[in-house]
Amino acid sequence: MARIVFAWELGGGSGHIQYDLPIAKKLIERGHEVICLMKHVVDAERILGQYGIQVMQAPVWQLQVKQLPNTYSYIETLFNHGYLVPGALLGMAKAWRSLFQFIGPDLVIADHAPTALIALR
């Protein structure tokens, strides 16, 4: 069957994981292999691990961009996650691309993972 990857890069809490879980469980029931590239691997493993879903660390921006105003739009959110720093987007996109090449997914479900989508493009 197919190898399906869930990708999560932006957002907090475990809401993204909770929304992906019912879909992942159905895919597993149908014989597909599911791998989750998650922003927060500890929460993801706690929630997804009990169903035998493999969890791996997603490439995420870990530095704090300084001297930016409050975030009021999506683009400003992206600025706060490395899109404004020269070379950062390239580095993160290459990391995503390397993971996808290593895993070889048949399908990627990107749940708030804009850099993953750039890498797939």
Side-chain angles (χ1 to χ4, degrees):
M1 294 305 252
R3 178 176 289 158
I4 300 167
V5 167
F6 284 80
W8 170 42
E9 176 183 1
L10 299 179
S14 60
H16 294 275
I17 302 166
Q18 297 288 355
Y19 293 133
D20 292 342
L21 179 58
I23 300 166
K25 285 169 52 178
K26 277 290 186 196
L27 291 168
I28 290 169
E29 286 174 15
R30 294 183 179 188
H32 300 291
E33 179 184 5
V34 173
I35 300 169
C36 292
L37 303 176
M38 302 278 104
K39 177 180 179 180
H40 297 302
V41 294
V42 173
D43 290 340
E45 179 59 32
R46 179 178 46 80
I47 296 167
L48 303 171
Q50 61 187 314
Y51 301 101
I53 299 170
Q54 184 177 354
V55 174
M56 297 174 72
Q57 180 66 57
V60 293
W61 179 255
Q62 297 185 30
L63 302 174
Q64 183 177 3
V65 179
K66 298 181 187 221
Q67 300 173 333
L68 287 180
N70 290 335
T71 301
Y72 295 108
S73 68
Y74 188 67
I75 192 64
E76 290 171 328
T77 298
L78 294 177
F79 287 167
N80 282 314
H81 288 89
Y83 279 56
L84 190 62
V85 178
L89 180 58
L90 178 62
M92 291 188 305
K94 282 184 171 182
W96 277 106
R97 183 173 288 169
S98 293
L99 269 173
F100 292 138
Q101 287 173 344
F102 176 75
I103 295 168
D106 297 298
L107 173 70
V108 175
I109 300 171
D111 183 3
H112 212 170
T115 315
L117 292 174
I118 291 169
L120 287 166
R121 183 86 174 136

